[in-house]
Amino acid sequence: MSTYTAIKGFKDILPDEAPLWRRIEDAARDVARRYDFQELRPPIAEKTEIFARGLGQATDIVEKEMYSFVDQGEERITLRPEATAGMVRAVLENNLMAGGRAVRVFCLGPMFRYERPQKGRQRQFHQLDVEVFGDPGPEVDAELLAWLTAFLTDLGLGDLSINLNSLGCPECRPAYRRELVEFFSRRRDRLCADCRRRLELNPLRIIDCKSENCRRLVDGAPKMLDRLCRECADHLAALQKLLTAMGLKFEINPRLVRGLDYYTRTAFEVLSNDLGAQSALAGGGRYDGLCRELGGDDIPGIGFALGLERLALLLKEKGAPAEAGPDFYLAVLHESALEAAFRLAESLRAEGRRVAADWRPGSLKSRMKRADKAGAARVVMLGEDEIRRREAIVRDMRTREQSSLDLKPFLA
Ligand code: AMP
């Protein structure tokens, strides 16, 4: 036990877990390359105002979950609770849209939300965030869903469900929103306390409320899908056609919403059916009004965020392949072999081999046990005898065969 513990909800990713995380990150970078996306690494903190505007005041994140503080220069600062707002800020500030080219970017890294920690839910967690700015779709919407599917399939999670919805646009949504407020106002008594508040602030969010009563009410409520304007309906139809052309299966889910005004048209969620119970891995959508909200031009955008903790859990439960151990394990059995062992290790490492070593002299038995535990491919035994004979013994740990290695180049 140590005197200090990590902050509640913040977790170490330990050396035996890191290979899985690297596998996830490598897969993301590889898919990004194949789909012609570039990496953008914004800072993990921004001015608080960016998230307040970028997420909307009436969200749980902004109201309750942000890690905010005032710095020594009286600046109000927040550790990012999500990536999109900072990405938009970076794209606008660095003028990445110059020349009218669409910006296709991704970001991997930690996010911070003051939530109640539980399995798969932390206060520092990690997301893969993929965004496209300057392309109104629907082609890029289809590409993004293909990106996400390719990524999860590469990691061995091919059994996916895509849920799809359209949230309309400033043309058709205001009238729908009014209709919705009217509908729920007449049934206000039957709404949960949260939804009564949402009715004033963010009525669309009632649609994805988890409470049983609200769900029943939503079943009978008007649906955005039935109120889409011509352009929005065409956008959704074209997207569906492209998904079908690529053989991507999807379901239209009218309960899928992202409750803020600058979200437009496409909204989606990808769930994994691996391991029985469905679990939502990623969610995203189009936010054509966000750049303007953050002080930029009217630039269309679309993106998704995928939680890496949940993905890592799923892959772990599925039994991710173990990482290979060292190529060589040097068992130094006597002091007189130390210098030769060092020269040998340096020479192998310079060739690119992974070398682990037990520098402190000790018994062969304990060395072999440790080499086995580390998953070493070969053990090089270096004792007094070997130095005298100028030949080390190399044991292949899989076949148990032994061979000899000329030590002359490594002796003084
Ligand atoms: P959101 O940004 O809320 O749309 O979340 C996108 C994804 O991030 C979710 O599907 C989760 O997998 C993941 N996520 C969100 N909050 C947390 C958290 N506190 N801990 C771990 N993962 C999270």
Side-chain angles (χ1 to χ4, degrees):
M1 273 304 281
S2 74
T3 316
Y4 294 109
T5 55
I7 303 166
K8 188 175 173 191
F10 286 55
K11 269 178 85 172
D12 300 305
I13 294 173
L14 297 172
D16 68 335
E17 300 166 303
L20 176 59
W21 283 77
R22 227 170 17 242
R23 191 156 76 88
I24 292 172
E25 289 160 4
D26 288 349
R29 292 202 163 88
D30 187 54
V31 177
R33 185 188 58 77
R34 277 147 53 197
Y35 283 79
D36 192 30
F37 278 65
Q38 292 177 305
E39 188 167 3
L40 171 60
R41 303 190 194 194
I44 59 160
E46 299 276 351
K47 293 176 188 165
T48 301
E49 196 189 332
I50 297 216
F51 299 114
R53 288 201 82 85
L55 289 160
Q57 283 293 352
T59 52
D60 282 351
I61 294 181
V62 173
E63 282 180 348
K64 305 187 280 221
E65 296 172 359
M66 294 209 301
Y67 274 92
S68 300
F69 60 98
V70 180
D71 75 4
Q72 284 84 338
E74 302 286 300
E75 188 95 77
R76 285 182 52 77
I77 283 174
T78 296
L79 298 182
R80 64 182 179 194
E82 57 93 56
T84 306
M87 298 276 262
V88 172
R89 197 265 316 132
V91 166
L92 296 175
E93 183 176 346
N94 297 290
N95 205 16
L96 299 186
M97 301 277 312
R101 195 166 169 257
V103 175
R104 297 154 69 95
V105 281
F106 75 99
C107 152
L108 278 162
M111 307 291 153
F112 305 85
R113 292 184 198 171
Y114 195 84
E115 291 190 87
R116 203 160 59 83
Q118 47 191 288
K119 193 178 176 204
R121 187 172 290 277
Q122 293 163 203
R123 289 182 174 171
Q124 176 182 307
F125 61 101
H126 297 76
Q127 283 186 344
L128 160 66
D129 192 72
V130 182
E131 320 266 355
V132 180
F133 302 99
D135 190 331
E139 298 79 8
V140 75
D141 306 24
E143 241 186 320
L144 218 54
L145 279 161
W147 198 123
L148 185 48
T149 305
F151 170 64
L152 293 169
T153 306
D154 279 7
L155 287 169
L157 300 173
D159 191 2
L160 304 169
S161 296
I162 299 175
N163 280 349
L164 195 62
N165 194 15
S166 175
L167 305 174
C169 70
E171 279 297 309
C172 52
R173 198 170 48 225
Y176 169 71
R177 187 186 153 116
R178 280 196 296 278
E179 199 182 344
L180 207 61
V181 171
E182 212 169 280
F183 177 89
F184 286 119
S185 297
R186 272 187 267 120
R187 294 159 181 84
R188 197 187 156 85
D189 300 349
R190 283 186 271 159
L191 289 174
C192 71
D194 279 342
C195 282
R196 263 178 249 151
R197 233 162 42 86
R198 287 180 186 131
L199 192 54
E200 265 92 62
L201 294 168
N202 199 352
L204 252 67
R205 272 261 107 115
I206 299 176
I207 293 176
D208 69 354
C209 179
K210 303 282 177 292
S211 111
E212 199 45 50
N213 271 341
C214 297
R215 284 181 71 92
R216 233 175 282 131
L217 281 182
V218 168
D219 281 338
K223 295 184 174 52
M224 184 71 239
L225 278 173
D226 301 326
R227 305 286 189 272
L228 295 177
C229 65
R230 184 61 190 271
E231 282 76 18
C232 286
D234 286 351
H235 190 104
L236 180 61
L239 170 57
Q240 288 179 265
K241 209 164 156 220
L242 290 171
L243 294 178
T244 307
M246 287 188 284
L248 294 186
K249 282 196 252 93
F250 59 88
E251 271 169 62
I252 297 287
N253 178 1
R255 282 188 191 271
L256 188 67
V257 291
R258 304 182 80 73
L260 303 169
D261 286 346
Y262 35 76
Y263 282 106
T264 46
R265 298 188 174 158
T266 312
F268 58 86
E269 198 172 63
V270 171
L271 303 105
S272 164
N273 305 317
D274 277 277
L275 302 169
Q278 274 202 335
S279 55
L281 289 176
R286 181 162 278 289
Y287 43 80
D288 292 344
L290 181 58
C291 284
R292 168 170 282 186
E293 187 67 30
L294 288 173
D297 293 336
D298 229 346
I299 297 165
I302 183 166
F304 68 78
L306 179 141
L308 298 191
E309 270 74 13
R310 199 175 282 187
L311 180 60
L313 262 176
L314 206 61
L315 291 174
K316 211 170 178 182
E317 284 172 33
K318 245 184 102 92
E323 202 200 17
D327 300 313
F328 290 94
Y329 194 97
L330 305 193
V332 181
L333 307 172
H334 190 266
E335 237 173 287
S336 59
L338 189 59
E339 286 169 26
F342 256 93
R343 290 197 198 100
L344 173 61
E346 288 308 288
S347 152
L348 289 169
R349 286 167 174 159
E351 282 172 22
R353 307 304 193 111
R354 177 172 157 195
V355 180
D358 254 326
W359 301 122
R360 300 247 165 82
S363 84
L364 180 59
K365 202 170 157 206
S366 69
R367 298 291 116 109
M368 294 308 277
K369 250 196 207 155
R370 267 195 252 170
D372 204 37
K373 212 166 158 210
R378 298 176 204 83
V379 175
V380 183
M381 294 169 231
L382 291 149
E384 226 177 344
D385 269 1
E386 282 76 15
I387 296 300
R388 211 174 301 127
R389 284 191 284 114
R390 301 175 173 208
E391 252 181 22
I393 299 169
V394 182
R395 178 188 291 203
D396 185 310
M397 295 298 276
R398 199 172 45 84
T399 62
R400 306 271 150 200
E401 271 169 28
Q402 299 204 155
S403 54
S404 55
L405 178 117
D406 184 8
L407 283 179
K408 278 185 225 92
F410 310 107
L411 295 169

